[in-house]
Amino acid sequence: MAYALQNEKANETINYDKTLKMLDRGIDDMEAGRELPLTEAFVKITELRNGQRNAKV
């Protein structure tokens, strides 16, 4: 039981660190002027998602 709790806490820490890294990269992109308008961003997300799905098949 103790091992499961430690493992869960480690996963939470890893997820927290990943989230902070993503936010830092996003802030860096905004500061560098590399952000997209909302509609273009959703188009790009759809393209990337479809590309991942097609690569799995």
Side-chain angles (χ1 to χ4, degrees):
M1 182 68 170
Y3 176 76
L5 290 175
Q6 287 176 344
N7 194 23
E8 185 176 320
K9 288 182 182 179
N11 287 338
E12 287 178 13
T13 302
I14 291 169
N15 288 336
Y16 182 73
D17 290 342
K18 285 182 181 180
T19 303
L20 287 179
K21 286 179 184 178
M22 286 191 301
L23 288 171
D24 284 341
R25 279 188 248 136
I27 291 169
D28 290 343
D29 286 343
M30 287 188 288
E31 289 174 346
R34 293 187 298 251
E35 69 265 4
L36 294 173
L38 187 60
T39 54
E40 289 180 32
F42 278 107
V43 168
K44 186 65 176 176
I45 290 168
T46 302
E47 289 173 3
L48 293 171
R49 193 176 294 153
N50 288 340
Q52 287 179 337
R53 287 180 184 156
N54 292 338
K56 290 180 183 178
V57 173

